[in-house]
Amino acid sequence: MASLFSGALQLTDLDDFIGPSQDCIKPMKVDKKPGSGVAKIHIEDDGSYFQVSQDGGMRKLEKAKISLNDCLACSGCITSAESVLITQQSHEELRKILNANKAAEPDHRKLVVASVSPQSVASLAARFQLNPTDTARKLTSFFKKIGVHYVFDTAFSRNFSLIESQREFVQRFRSQADSRQALPVLASTCPGWICYAEKTHSSLLLPHLSTARSPQQVMGALVKDFFAQQQHLTPDRLYHVTVMPCYDKKLEASRPDFFNQEFQTRDVDCVITTGEVFRLLEEEGVSLPDLEPAPLDALSSYVSAEEPTSHRGGGSGGYLEHVFRHAARELFGIDMAEVTYKPLRNKDFQEVTLERDGQVLLHFATAYGFRNIQNLVQKLKRGRCPYHYVEVMACPSGCLNGGGQLGAPDGRSKELLQQVGQLYREVRTQLPEDAPGVLELYGHWLQGEGSDKASRLLHTRYHAVEGAGSGFSIKW
């Protein structure tokens, strides 16, 4: 079966599909009853397993259930079957929640919030031949038609992710004399890349990862913390679904780091891809162009969000460009009017440099796709990585080409990607610090930049996953 995850996860022991000869290495808990001796296992024609005790009694055995958290906690494959993800995070699950919400008593209903990524909007705009603003507004109308109460643009949460990435880089650059592993900083917004780093080269890569949360998980904090307070609700009374360009985002939302133990709820309850939104439209018999547009919602009175916004610097969020410009200004007092990219071996591996009087002050790079990630890892292993910052993405061409995006019906994928990129760039851009409501929320919600609350809600941690000595591990 074809894998839906990014290329960095489709490799031997990191692939999402287990063949018949491969076993899940997750240890299973077996409850032993006192006094039980040797027993036989009998398999029925329908595949059911029965334990046959010494006295001839038979007991049907339950099937082992592996959750998404179990999969993330092990060093083998990502999931033992794609049905694990499809069951827990899918458009069918969203439909089930919405139907249950309509049937519930008013006091037991949840407030349903959808957060939509700019990359997904661009993909849908290309399919329906609409501009991005109309697409976002019509999508808002559709979600509200099926029972969603609020629809937000994740470009707003990306403002916080970019600002935190900028601040973190400057801090690490200034402290590089005290820490050999402070640089290079490796962008961490791509969950496929993070999963690969944690499971294959954790000791080498984890110290270099940026701790800034991705836009999806910043939005999770905004919805389940700030917005919940605004609505006078506890976090578990909100159901938060995001629309994302890749399947790897389902893995990110399921990380234990983004689970609220007190209220037993996730920051993001469900992730559906652009393709799953398209299937929802088809199943509902709705043509997106025929819908009346509706304005996007604002998280608070501080925020103006009736139309989508974006950021400069490419279809994966513009992390390199924003960090580069900010660092040039903060560290060297240089304002960059333009950022010039120099392609290296291929278009997915490019460099950006800041020079003064022949001296290289900053050296940044983008590394998209597993081939370029492999080259980056080799440079780090040999101690020959010349970069201060690298924007890393698992998918070739970045997030606009995510596995959850809509494919070209006629097979002309290259032309479609160009069209999606053009539509993505049509959206009005702004500096993250200039976005309405951002500085106000830093003050009123987060108690200031650099506060403990900002660190807790806008940053995360990574965890080395110990290998189990699998015979089909990656060889370099």
Side-chain angles (χ1 to χ4, degrees), residues 48-110:
S48 300
Y49 286 75
F50 285 84
Q51 177 179 307
V52 183
S53 60
Q54 289 179 325
D55 60 7
M58 297 180 68
R59 180 171 67 90
K60 187 174 182 179
L61 299 176
E62 292 184 10
K63 289 184 179 179
K65 295 180 180 178
I66 305 292
S67 73
L68 196 52
N69 281 338
D70 291 329
C71 294
L72 289 170
C74 105
S75 61
C77 59
I78 295 302
T79 55
S80 58
E82 288 178 343
S83 59
V84 175
L85 281 178
I86 300 305
T87 300
Q88 294 189 5
Q89 297 199 39
S90 64
H91 71 288
E92 287 98 343
E93 180 68 15
L94 174 61
R95 187 195 302 280
K96 191 194 315 181
I97 292 292
L98 293 174
N99 290 338
N101 217 33
K102 293 173 185 175
E105 294 295 325
D107 291 345
H108 293 86
R109 289 176 187 165
K110 292 196 174 188

Side-chain angles (χ1 to χ4, degrees), residues 10-66:
Q10 297 171 33
L11 299 166
T12 59
D13 59 343
L14 291 181
D15 203 302
D16 71 303
F17 176 68
I18 292 185
S21 62
Q22 301 172 13
D23 294 324
C24 176
I25 67 172
K26 179 69 181 176
M28 301 304 298
K29 181 181 178 182
V30 179
D31 294 323
K32 294 184 178 180
K33 295 183 179 180
S36 61
V38 178
K40 295 181 179 180
I41 301 297
H42 174 72
I43 305 175
E44 293 286 314
D45 292 338
D46 63 357
S48 300
Y49 286 75
F50 285 84
Q51 177 179 307
V52 183
S53 60
Q54 289 179 325
D55 60 7
M58 297 180 68
R59 180 171 67 90
K60 187 174 182 179
L61 299 176
E62 292 184 10
K63 289 184 179 179
K65 295 180 180 178
I66 305 292

Side-chain angles (χ1 to χ4, degrees), residues 373-392:
I373 290 176
Q374 184 179 1
N375 290 334
L376 174 65
V377 169
Q378 291 285 14
K379 290 177 187 291
L380 286 165
K381 280 178 127 179
R382 295 167 182 163
R384 297 179 181 175
C385 184
Y387 308 116
H388 297 113
Y389 182 93
V390 186
E391 181 180 294
V392 187

